[in-house]
Amino acid sequence: MKKFLNEFKEFALKGSIVDLAIGMIIGTAFTGIVTAFTANFIQPILDLVTFAHKGLYEWSEIAGFISAFISAIINFVIIALVLFLLLKGINKLTAMKKKEEEEAPTVTTKVCPFCKTEIDLEATRCPNCTSELE
């Protein structure tokens, strides 16, 4: 079970998957901006030009539409900033883990107890003094 969880964690924290998830979230937020822009800015202008509602919009309503669009932009910036900070933290943790793994040296040799020379870890006899090792 522990191996399964480790494999899942490695899969879920791969850079490409995290980048894809962030791209999807930013894309969704950007869709909100585009929708707000067209619904609250372009459409009222078209309504003014075509007199779609049998009269002109009040300027206060247009200001309300513009404020909704600006609100969508601010929403996008906040989402992008939070995701950037989240990704930066994940990358920092991943880099720290890799650095710890690199710092831990793998032991491949041992010291002969008789002649004090360095020999292979799996050796059963010292190549220098020919002593039998345990």
Side-chain angles (χ1 to χ4, degrees):
M1 184 69 175
K2 186 176 181 181
K3 183 179 178 184
F4 174 77
L5 291 175
N6 286 337
E7 287 177 7
F8 178 73
K9 183 173 97 177
E10 183 180 328
F11 169 77
L13 294 180
K14 279 186 180 175
S16 59
I17 292 175
V18 173
D19 292 343
L20 177 64
I22 288 174
M24 298 266 305
I25 293 168
I26 288 179
T28 303
F30 189 71
T31 300
I33 288 177
V34 173
T35 302
F37 179 73
T38 55
N40 299 318
F41 191 72
I42 301 295
Q43 189 64 42
I45 291 173
L46 292 174
D47 288 345
L48 279 173
V49 172
T50 61
F51 300 102
H53 292 300
K54 298 178 184 173
L56 299 175
Y57 275 105
E58 296 289 329
W59 283 108
S60 62
E61 289 182 37
I62 292 175
F65 295 141
I66 292 172
S67 68
F69 176 66
I70 291 172
S71 175
I73 290 175
I74 292 170
N75 185 31
F76 172 77
V77 170
I78 290 170
I79 288 171
L81 177 66
V82 168
L83 291 174
F84 169 74
L85 294 174
L86 180 67
L87 182 62
K88 189 173 180 176
I90 289 172
N91 287 342
K92 191 171 187 176
L93 288 174
T94 305
M96 286 175 51
K97 183 178 178 185
K98 286 182 181 178
K99 188 175 180 181
E100 289 174 2
E101 289 174 355
E102 290 173 1
E103 288 177 356
T106 55
V107 179
T108 59
T109 60
K110 61 182 176 181
V111 176
C112 174
F114 301 103
C115 67
K116 305 295 184 207
T117 58
E118 201 170 280
I119 58 173
D120 189 53
L121 189 62
E122 297 178 3
T124 57
R125 191 177 284 267
C126 178
N128 297 319
C129 67
T130 66
S131 301
E132 285 191 36
L133 304 170
E134 296 177 4

